[in-house]
Amino acid sequence: MDERYDPKTIETKWQVIWKDANLFKVRMDPEREKYYLLEMFPYPSGKIHMGHVRNYTIGDVVARYKRMRGLNVLHPMGWDAFGMPAENAAIANNSHPARWTYGNIDNMRSQLKRMGFSYDWDREITTCRPEYYRWEQWLFLKMYDQGMAYRKESFVNWCESCQTVLANEQVEAGLCWRCGQQVTQKKLWQWFFRITDDADDLLVHCDRLPGWPEKVITMQKNWIGKSFGAEIRFPIENHGEAIPVFTTRQDTVFGATFMCLAPEHPLVFRLSKGTPQESAVYAFVDRMSRQDRSSRAVETHAKEGVFIGVYCRNPLSGRRMPIYTANFALMEYGTGAVMSVPAHDQRDFDFAKKYGLDLVVVVKPFDDDLDADTMTEAFTAEGVMVNSGPFDGMPSEKALDEIADHLEKINAGKKAVSFRLRDWGISRQRYWGAPIPVIHCKRCGIVPVPEEDLPVTLPEDVDMLEGGMSPLPVLDSFIKTRCPACDNPDARRETDTMDTFVESSWYFERYCSPGCESGIFDKAEVKYWMPVDQYIGGVEHAILHLLYSRYFTRVLNEFGLVEFKEPFTRLLTQGMVCKETISCPQHGYLLPEEVAVSGANRTCKTCAKPVIVGRVEKMSKSKKNVIDPDILLEKYGADITRLFCLFAAPPERDLEWSERGVEGSFRFLNRVWRLAAACMDSIKDVASFDRAPDRLEGGELRDLYKKTHQTIQRVTRDIEDRFHFNTAISAIMELVNSMSAMQQENKTADRRGVMRFAMESVTRLLAPIVPHFAEELWEVLGHKSSIILASWPSYREDALLKDELVIVIQVNGKLRSRISVDADVDEDTLKAMALADERAKKFINTKDIKKVVVVKKKLVNIVV
């Protein structure tokens, strides 16, 4: 065995062996228990970052551990390759999205293999390949046939620079998350999936996901947003129709004094047309279209609006109510209309005060009265009904049901349930995405592409238009086609492409049979492997990706393709990788390699000025507080990089980058290596000791044997139950310390057998964590097959029992009691136990204790 640990040589050697032996290839085996471990697949940005390294290292440890426990482990990898990020990056780098994406995939695949991750690369999928997206086109057609996919005109967040629709989450302070340009509201024909049909089921099953973090469950519930209330219809004056409003405060309807419509509401232009307010309304709506209209942003805006020139009637009070369009009314909530009750809603109160609108108190405190003229804020608590006709004097909570029933009796409303969740808009006016498989015919309307004509292939040999606009709408070879229904030669293909979330909403099923050509997947394979047993990824995907994946699984379930509804049994959301920022007053943020270090001093390499050390925050390219994994791999190797990522923090917590932490990981593996080298000659040809601990003579040897079993138990529990790899590694370190302290001179058969057992145990316990390192030690120990094929170490129950001592307790030198304690009890604990002993306390009474004398492993003498 070489005396020096050489990571680069060892890691290269074992990666070749793993590949040649095809050790990570897995097949369905109904005779074996399966375990599906999956990390969220990456967008091929060009290089993996430390967030990837941490995420995939966590997953790889679990996959290797479960494999050693005898489970049939599926651990695949692929690429979330379509979408705006890839397209924008390609444009910025003067490249074609296809060339950029495929080149990046090659680079990142090489990096992941260099990390030693145990992926079954035969199952690799790339979502921009026609053999993948043909099946989501197929599923789209099934959904369209059943009314689950539909097209409608809708206001959307539009980025003129990126020429595409943005989800609310992609709009930050009114700007596009990708290019930073102003986002506007634009009315477009869009394709939608009817996810709202499953809103209630998605919500109910949130409580049936015990393996998910509570914070993620809460985020999902809040996004679905189920509310109980009433729908109330407010007749529009002189128009013969009514405005439906959803409210959870129907008890306050008698206090509604004006109506507010969202600027996007279809009634705004229609009702204001021809009134003196028409131009003011158009100007207001146009200005609102350039504001961030997400619910998060609207909460921070000053409340403003404009009268649209029309009135409606309160169906219970009969009051004539002016109709406004207001910036705080949102189409995504309820019906896009708000019955405004300024005395009992703070937003309405602020708006009414600003525009001089009436306040009517209809709920007062239980022990006080309210005067609308002197109110300084809305009263929003429960109370007693007033100014509410037959409901006066009733507790407001009771009035909720009473008023809802009354509205139904007079045909002015009914009890209702509303969801915050809206149907999923999947249209993207971009090139780099899966084509939507429909054809537009002037005779037939919308015609689905026949199944036998799939896939509708995205042409990859066309150039992007100026400004990054999609070439599809002007590409005759793509857009021009015949109508499959009437053979009209002037039909046109749909030029919108699908939201990239569509690809990531079912990829985990495709991994089960990636080569299947007869269907979206092999149902038998999916029945065996799914659902995913452990899913791992960032909390930033806690809402949309996970929600859409849950919805898509329900669609597959409804079509009889899968037997389950929930795709992920357990979910781990790992923390971020963080590092301090470093900046130069002259050159701004600096990369670590742009900083010169001399003792405690750090300066900018460009100008030699002292740098400013900022706070620790998430690694990001913009702030340059990033560490290139390639530099780590070159300097330390994969195993040390993996060990640091696992030891520095529990997986659900943020990991703070530390050069000293990496150095510490390096020193630990070197220490294990030197220990193995020192004792290998004496242990490599002996059998591990595997008998009861009481068969061993000598406390030191028995202690090491028991310590090894205790470590196996602790590491097993930390990985199996909690994924607390940091405490598992700490336990291994403690065992290594005990092994190092063992005297090597005495080389009896039992001593050599115990050391062999301890070294083999350390090697197997380290195998999921630092696999190349463990493989090398395993081979040196004389094993002919890979440690991947070895079983996880087991522990003896009789070796977990702690040795006990009987300690005599004296008071002033006289025997007063005896207690049983663990053999390794420390002195302070022993003193405390003696002083707390009831029999000894009788002889101390109220006397002052002068001192407590401990004779190790024998007695405690209390002197009073």
Side-chain angles (χ1 to χ4, degrees):
M1 178 179 181
D2 290 340
E3 291 188 5
R4 190 176 68 88
Y5 168 45
D6 181 2
K8 186 175 293 187
T9 301
I10 290 171
E11 289 169 8
T12 301
K13 165 188 170 180
W14 285 102
Q15 286 168 17
V16 171
I17 292 172
W18 293 337
K19 180 182 177 182
D20 291 346
N22 225 354
L23 284 174
F24 305 136
K25 186 173 181 62
V26 65
R27 295 178 177 83
M28 180 176 70
D29 183 353
E31 300 301 314
R32 296 177 63 194
E33 181 183 354
K34 66 91 180 180
Y35 191 85
Y36 189 173
L37 186 287
L38 183 63
E39 306 100 4
M40 296 179 185
F41 65 169
Y43 136 68
S45 58
K47 296 182 73 175
I48 63 172
H49 53 66
M50 287 305 297
H52 290 133
V53 171
R54 189 185 190 199
N55 184 3
Y56 303 147
T57 297
I58 291 168
D60 196 55
V61 172
V62 179
R64 288 175 177 272
Y65 165 78
K66 292 292 184 179
R67 188 175 282 115
M68 292 180 75
R69 295 303 299 260
L71 277 67
N72 194 24
V73 177
L74 174 58
H75 188 207
M77 176 49 68
W79 312 98
D80 191 9
F82 265 146
M84 193 164 67
E87 187 173 311
N88 284 352
I91 294 167
N93 287 274
N94 196 30
S95 181
H96 189 279
R99 186 167 60 253
W100 170 263
T101 298
Y102 295 134
N104 287 348
I105 287 173
D106 290 341
N107 291 337
M108 293 176 72
R109 186 191 300 110
S110 296
Q111 287 180 296
L112 294 179
K113 288 183 176 181
R114 193 176 173 191
M115 283 297 301
F117 297 137
S118 58
Y119 297 127
D120 181 353
W121 284 105
D122 288 347
R123 293 176 181 266
E124 179 182 11
I125 58 175
T126 304
T127 61
C128 62
R129 297 284 192 189
E131 60 266 26
Y132 180 83
Y133 64 74
R134 70 167 291 190
W135 294 110
E136 71 188 47
Q137 291 177 338
W138 174 84
L139 189 61
F140 177 96
L141 296 177
K142 297 293 183 187
M143 295 173 71
Y144 179 75
D145 182 62
Q146 295 298 311
M148 297 176 178
Y150 65 95
R151 189 171 184 253
K152 71 172 183 179
E153 209 172 10
S154 173
F155 277 98
V156 293
N157 298 314
W158 176 257
C159 176
E160 187 65 27
S161 173
C162 293
Q163 287 288 299
T164 196
V165 172
L166 301 175
N168 284 340
E169 295 69 40
Q170 296 170 323
V171 180
E172 299 173 351
L175 306 177
C176 172
W177 70 305
R178 292 299 305 173
C179 69
Q181 297 301 305
Q182 181 74 49
V183 173
T184 61
Q185 296 291 300
K186 187 174 183 177
K187 202 169 190 179
L188 293 175
W189 283 97
Q190 298 281 292
W191 285 97
F192 292 85
F193 286 155
R194 211 178 293 276
I195 190 174
T196 51
D197 284 355
D198 288 279
D200 214 24
D201 194 57
L202 287 165
L203 184 64
V204 167
H205 277 76
C206 281
D207 293 323
R208 301 177 189 175
L209 298 169
W212 284 39
E214 189 58 40
K215 65 179 179 180
V216 176
I217 294 294
T218 300
M219 293 167 77
Q220 292 257 315
K221 287 181 175 180
N222 290 342
W223 190 259
I224 295 167
K226 186 175 185 178
S227 299
F228 296 90
E231 183 182 283
I232 306 174
R233 292 184 292 277
F234 290 76
I236 305 171
E237 201 173 73
N238 302 320
H239 278 74
E241 59 182 309
I243 300 172
V245 170
F246 174 80
T247 179
T248 60
R249 291 297 308 273
Q250 59 268 25
D251 57 318
T252 65
V253 63
F254 281 89
T257 59
F258 58 99
M259 175 72 66
C260 287
L261 302 178
E264 304 86 4
H265 199 292
L267 285 176
V268 170
F269 285 154
R270 185 153 63 84
L271 293 180
S272 63
K273 189 173 183 179
T275 72
Q277 292 295 109
E278 183 176 4
S279 60
V281 168
Y282 269 75
F284 177 79
V285 171
D286 179 66
R287 184 159 57 85
M288 290 301 102
S289 73
R290 293 189 294 276
Q291 282 190 2
D292 185 350
R293 295 287 296 148
S294 66
S295 57
R296 181 180 62 251
V298 165
E299 287 296 323
T300 65
H301 294 162
K303 309 300 179 281
E304 59 176 321
V306 63
F307 176 51
I308 69 170
V310 179
Y311 293 81
C312 63
R313 290 279 176 183
N314 186 315
L316 294 191
S317 71
R319 172 184 283 270
R320 190 179 188 228
M321 297 167 52
I323 304 174
Y324 282 73
T325 178
N327 66 341
F328 62 85
L330 296 169
M331 280 304 298
E332 65 188 50
Y333 182 78
T335 63
V338 177
M339 70 166 204
S340 294
V341 186
H344 303 292
D345 182 277
Q346 192 60 42
R347 290 179 315 171
D348 298 343
F349 182 91
D350 295 341
F351 192 90
K353 289 295 184 181
K354 183 173 184 175
Y355 294 102
L357 300 167
D358 292 344
L359 274 71
V360 176
V361 174
V362 292
V363 179
K364 74 177 191 68
F366 290 105
D367 56 357
D368 199 3
D369 291 323
L370 289 177
D371 182 352
D373 294 332
T374 61
M375 290 177 70
T376 58
E377 63 181 1
F379 176 71
T380 59
E382 294 179 11
V384 178
M385 301 292 291
V386 294
N387 301 319
S388 299
F391 306 99
D392 284 354
M394 184 181 294
S396 59
E397 185 176 14
K398 181 181 179 183
L400 289 169
D401 281 339
E402 296 286 339
I403 288 178
D405 292 340
H406 180 67
L407 287 165
E408 194 153 8
K409 285 180 183 177
I410 64 172
N411 199 30
K414 60 182 179 179
K415 289 182 180 178
V417 174
S418 180
F419 290 90
R420 179 175 182 263
L421 182 67
R422 288 292 179 261
D423 280 343
W424 175 9
I426 66 159
S427 286
R428 296 294 181 266
Q429 292 68 42
R430 296 298 295 241
Y431 158 70
W432 193 239
I436 295 175
V438 296
I439 292 168
H440 299 279
C441 174
K442 289 184 178 179
R443 300 175 189 168
C444 306
I446 294 173
V447 182
V449 171
E451 189 175 320
E452 59 270 19
D453 292 343
L454 297 180
V456 177
T457 305
L458 182 74
E460 294 186 0
D461 57 351
V462 295
D463 293 327
M464 302 292 292
L465 300 182
E466 185 176 351
M469 293 178 63
S470 172
L472 298 181
V474 296
L475 187 66
D476 286 349
S477 60
F478 175 80
I479 197 171
K480 288 186 175 181
T481 189
R482 287 184 174 274
C483 173
C486 70
D487 205 34
N488 173 12
D490 295 323
R492 297 170 65 84
R493 291 194 187 279
E494 174 64 70
T495 57
D496 282 358
T497 53
M498 292 195 214
D499 177 11
T500 188
F501 276 120
V502 178
E503 281 85 62
S504 61
S505 293
W506 68 282
Y507 76 107
F508 34 87
E509 275 112 358
R510 185 67 181 176
Y511 275 141
C512 298
S513 52
C516 182
E517 297 180 357
S518 59
I520 189 169
F521 43 67
D522 184 305
K523 290 175 67 174
E525 294 271 358
V526 167
K527 183 176 181 179
Y528 174 73
W529 290 113
M530 287 292 293
V532 173
D533 294 282
Q534 181 67 61
Y535 199 33
I536 303 173
V539 73
E540 66 271 19
H541 301 294
I543 298 177
L544 295 185
H545 164 58
L546 293 174
L547 188 66
Y548 293 155
S549 296
R550 296 178 63 212
Y551 166 65
F552 243 55
T553 303
R554 280 160 171 74
V555 172
L556 295 171
N557 175 270
E558 189 162 332
F559 288 139
L561 296 169
V562 300
E563 298 177 0
F564 50 90
K565 286 187 174 184
E566 293 296 341
F568 314 120
T569 303
R570 293 182 66 185
L571 173 70
L572 172 66
T573 53
Q574 89 280 356
M576 298 180 293
V577 181
C578 304
K579 187 182 181 300
E580 64 190 11
T581 58
I582 300 177
S583 59
C584 170
Q586 183 174 341
H587 297 100
Y589 288 115
L590 301 177
L591 291 166
E593 53 267 30
E594 296 172 331
V595 180
V597 180
S598 177
N601 299 318
R602 288 188 271 187
T603 56
C604 173
K605 285 184 177 179
T606 305
C607 66
K609 292 181 179 179
V611 299
I612 300 168
V613 179
R615 63 189 179 93
V616 174
E617 52 188 294
K618 178 185 177 183
M619 285 188 178
S620 68
K621 292 179 182 177
S622 62
K623 295 187 177 179
K624 296 190 175 181
N625 62 333
V626 294
I627 298 294
D628 186 347
D630 279 347
I631 295 176
L632 280 180
L633 291 172
E634 195 62 35
K635 183 176 180 180
Y636 295 105
D639 282 343
I640 291 167
T641 303
R642 290 167 63 114
L643 184 61
F644 167 73
C645 288
L646 296 165
F647 185 56
E652 70 277 6
R653 300 279 296 275
D654 289 348
L655 182 156
E656 183 177 342
W657 169 260
S658 164
E659 187 75 33
R660 288 196 303 175
V662 181
E663 289 285 353
S665 298
F666 175 72
R667 287 194 301 272
F668 171 66
L669 288 190
N670 272 280
R671 187 177 183 200
V672 177
W673 187 269
R674 289 193 301 270
L675 175 63
C679 69
M680 194 58 66
D681 286 344
S682 67
I683 68 171
K684 66 180 180 180
D685 295 323
V686 301
S688 290
F689 184 87
D690 188 23
R691 289 179 287 171
D694 58 11
R695 301 290 295 273
L696 289 168
E697 295 182 5
E700 182 187 44
L701 194 58
R702 187 164 56 247
D703 288 348
L704 177 60
Y705 184 62
K706 297 181 74 170
K707 177 74 171 179
T708 304
H709 282 285
Q710 291 160 8
T711 302
I712 294 169
Q713 182 198 44
R714 182 174 164 190
V715 172
T716 302
R717 287 180 175 177
D718 282 346
I719 296 179
E720 183 74 40
D721 300 336
R722 305 186 302 161
F723 291 172
H724 278 201
F725 311 114
N726 58 324
T727 54
I729 294 167
S730 179
I732 298 170
M733 289 177 172
E734 291 176 15
L735 176 58
V736 171
N737 289 341
S738 297
M739 293 168 66
S740 299
M742 177 70 70
Q743 296 296 320
Q744 299 298 325
E745 290 77 14
N746 184 352
K747 297 182 179 179
T748 64
D750 281 352
R751 183 174 291 269
R752 294 165 66 198
V754 169
M755 278 300 290
R756 169 84 185 198
F757 172 68
M759 183 57 70
E760 282 203 339
S761 297
V762 165
T763 304
R764 287 196 283 177
L765 294 174
L766 285 173
I769 298 166
V770 285
H772 315 84
F773 181 91
E775 286 278 21
E776 190 70 12
L777 289 188
W778 194 246
E779 183 181 65
V780 173
L781 282 164
H783 296 280
K784 302 302 181 185
S785 60
S786 168
I787 199 169
I788 291 169
L789 304 176
S791 62
W792 184 253
S794 58
Y795 53 86
R796 296 177 63 105
E797 293 291 342
D798 57 1
L800 302 179
L801 300 175
K802 290 188 176 182
D803 292 332
E804 286 193 343
L805 299 173
V806 176
I807 300 294
V808 168
I809 301 177
Q810 297 177 340
V811 179
N812 289 340
K814 294 183 179 181
L815 175 62
R816 298 304 184 189
S817 185
R818 291 183 176 88
I819 57 174
S820 295
V821 299
D822 291 339
D824 58 354
V825 68
D826 62 81
E827 188 170 311
D828 289 339
T829 303
L830 193 54
K831 285 181 181 180
M833 293 174 70
L835 291 171
D837 184 78
E838 291 298 328
R839 284 174 291 180
K841 285 164 70 174
K842 292 178 182 178
F843 296 94
I844 300 172
N845 291 322
T846 59
K847 298 172 186 174
D848 292 335
I849 297 173
K850 294 180 180 179
K851 61 180 178 178
V852 180
V853 179
V854 175
V855 179
K856 192 174 182 181
K857 297 189 177 182
K858 289 186 177 181
L859 63 83
V860 178
N861 183 24
I862 304 168
V863 181
V864 297

